[in-house]
Amino acid sequence: MFFEILSLAWRALWERRGRTVGAIIGVVIAFTALSFALLLGHTFRYYVTQFFTSTFQLNALYVVGVEFTDTDVFAISTISGVDLVVPLAATQASVVLPGAPQRTVVTLYGVPSYVLHKVFPQSALREGASVLGPNLALVGYYIAYDSSTGLQRLGVGSPVVVTLGDKSASFVVMGVLALGNMGVLDTATGVYVDIETFRALTGARHYAMLVVYAKDTSLVRQIEGGIRARYPNAQIFSPQTIIESVNTFFVQFQLFLGLISGVSTLITALWLYDTMTISTMQRTKEIGVLRAVGFKKRQVTVMFLMEALIIAVIGVTVGVPILLAVGYVAQLIATAFLGPSGLIIDPLVLAGAAALVVLVNLTGALLPAYRAGRIEIVNALRYE
């Protein structure tokens, strides 16, 4: 019986193919618009999340705004969930670079050598080794390379003189940092030296920043709360928290785009409702004949719903390659202005959009289908 109902539904659509094609086009537009909007929001969220994931260490918190001491470092290290606390001292200094007409302003950092492997793993270096000690330094990318020409000015083993006020110190470059993978730390124009050397130059005994590493990313919020309880004036930068906020924003943005584009789906459902209502009126005698030969009310209702389902499925099927073509064009445009990028095609988003379009269209056809099934045999056969 199912295949017989399916055959009748298909035949009815084919006999009224003008209206059928119009309804299918409406579904194609609705599905393409809804899917593109949802995928656009999903793509934005993906790239922003990728940026934060590749730029920051997600289990790290950066704490500033307070002049920290060794006592503070120990106190924070006792907070539950803390794996390691890395203290960083910082000040402004200058260096004389080969080929540069004047001194270059840099940020001079003091880092305890025993935690250097955590702050700057080998992957954070463009060249050289992550080693500090007396008269040894790591330099930022734009100290070693000219930012305008790209030519290398300093390399591993090169000398560099750092000047701070009336004091100067000569260092040997042990490594050149890569750009953009250490969060708030300056990997462009920073110079990193051992903390004892930093103190000898500056006389400072406090730290400008603490990098607090959690044992697990799930403990970041807990540790953040512990730090705020001890240091209410401290400013805490948490990449993990930012990603959570970004994800929340983009989910809402995605829903907003979906609601706007969903208007076309509602219009298609109303169109299908109108089509099915007219079809029911035109096929009243046909319905009477079907009922007379043994079709039950629910089978007539199912037949009309089957017609709506066929229209929706064909529309979604045709819409998928159109969506891929639109995504390809969008990728070409984005690449021309923003570099290599593209629309992220998430099968779950597509499946969700397809299910929603089909469901809304079936809902639009439900009332006319129900009315068709409730037509009495005698009245249907008398209908002209």
Side-chain angles (χ1 to χ4, degrees):
M1 179 60 73
F2 171 79
F3 291 104
E4 185 177 353
I5 293 175
L6 179 62
S7 175
L8 288 171
W10 176 259
R11 192 180 308 163
L13 291 175
W14 179 251
E15 289 174 354
R16 296 162 181 81
R17 49 186 171 273
R19 283 185 172 273
T20 299
V21 170
I24 289 174
I25 292 174
V27 173
V28 170
I29 295 173
F31 171 73
T32 304
L34 179 61
S35 298
F36 185 77
L38 293 177
L39 289 175
L40 189 63
H42 175 76
T43 300
F44 281 143
R45 183 173 60 174
Y46 172 82
Y47 282 120
V48 171
T49 302
Q50 282 293 103
F51 168 77
F52 277 97
T53 302
S54 61
T55 303
F56 299 100
Q57 295 167 296
L58 299 186
N59 68 326
L61 296 94
Y62 302 87
V63 188
V64 297
V66 176
E67 292 188 347
F68 297 101
T69 64
D70 289 324
T71 302
D72 298 318
V73 174
F74 175 76
I76 292 178
S77 66
T78 61
I79 296 175
S80 177
V82 171
D83 182 39
L84 180 67
V85 179
V86 176
L88 297 172
T91 189
Q92 292 295 303
S94 63
V95 296
V96 177
L97 298 174
Q102 56 188 8
R103 291 181 179 274
T104 301
V105 177
V106 300
T107 303
L108 180 66
Y109 290 92
V111 187
S113 57
Y114 68 91
V115 294
L116 190 63
H117 69 283
K118 188 70 173 181
V119 181
F120 293 117
Q122 192 61 36
S123 59
L125 271 67
R126 179 179 176 85
E127 59 184 83
S130 185
V131 177
L132 287 182
N135 303 319
L136 303 179
L138 302 178
V139 300
Y141 182 84
Y142 286 129
I143 295 177
Y145 292 86
D146 190 294
S147 59
S148 57
T149 65
L151 296 176
Q152 187 168 10
R153 300 180 292 197
L154 298 176
V156 177
S158 299
V160 60
V161 178
V162 177
T163 301
L164 181 62
D166 57 354
K167 293 183 179 180
S168 295
S170 180
F171 297 92
V172 175
V173 175
M174 291 301 295
V176 177
L177 301 173
L179 284 177
N181 61 348
M182 291 309 300
V184 299
L185 301 182
D186 185 0
T187 58
T189 59
V191 175
Y192 293 81
V193 300
D194 181 71
I195 187 63
E196 297 304 327
T197 304
F198 180 90
R199 286 172 174 170
L201 271 173
T202 64
R205 308 297 297 180
H206 60 267
Y207 303 106
M209 176 190 299
L210 299 181
V211 184
V212 182
Y213 292 93
K215 293 178 180 178
D216 188 83
T217 54
S218 62
L219 301 173
V220 167
R221 282 193 175 275
Q222 172 186 316
I223 295 172
E224 184 177 350
I227 296 174
R228 290 191 187 282
R230 287 173 170 81
Y231 304 94
N233 295 326
Q235 300 172 17
I236 303 175
F237 176 79
S238 170
Q240 178 70 18
T241 303
I242 290 177
I243 285 183
E244 291 174 1
S245 300
V246 166
N247 281 333
T248 300
F249 168 77
F250 276 110
V251 166
Q252 295 173 347
F253 178 63
Q254 203 171 0
L255 291 175
F256 174 72
L257 291 178
L259 287 175
I260 293 177
S261 59
V263 172
S264 60
T265 305
L266 293 177
I267 293 175
T268 303
L270 292 174
W271 187 356
L272 198 58
Y273 168 83
D274 180 64
T275 298
M276 287 297 177
T277 300
I278 295 174
S279 179
T280 300
M281 295 174 59
Q282 293 176 341
R283 296 161 61 190
T284 300
K285 181 166 288 188
E286 176 188 336
I287 294 171
V289 172
L290 291 174
R291 292 292 313 283
V293 297
F295 272 69
K296 298 178 180 179
K297 293 180 179 180
R298 60 181 176 81
Q299 291 173 330
V300 173
T301 299
V302 169
M303 183 182 69
F304 276 83
L305 289 177
M306 190 73 71
E307 293 177 20
L309 179 62
I310 292 172
I311 290 173
V313 170
I314 292 176
V316 168
T317 304
V318 173
V320 170
I322 294 177
L323 176 65
L324 294 178
V326 171
Y328 179 73
V329 173
Q331 179 178 352
L332 293 179
I333 296 173
T335 301
F337 291 97
L338 303 175
S341 58
L343 192 69
I344 306 298
I345 305 298
D346 187 338
L348 291 178
V349 174
L350 283 181
L356 182 61
V357 169
V358 171
L359 180 62
V360 170
N361 279 279
L362 284 178
T363 302
L366 183 60
L367 184 58
Y370 175 76
R371 288 174 177 171
R374 302 299 295 176
I375 295 177
E376 296 297 331
I377 299 177
V378 176
N379 294 333
L381 293 174
R382 290 177 177 175
Y383 185 83
E384 295 294 338

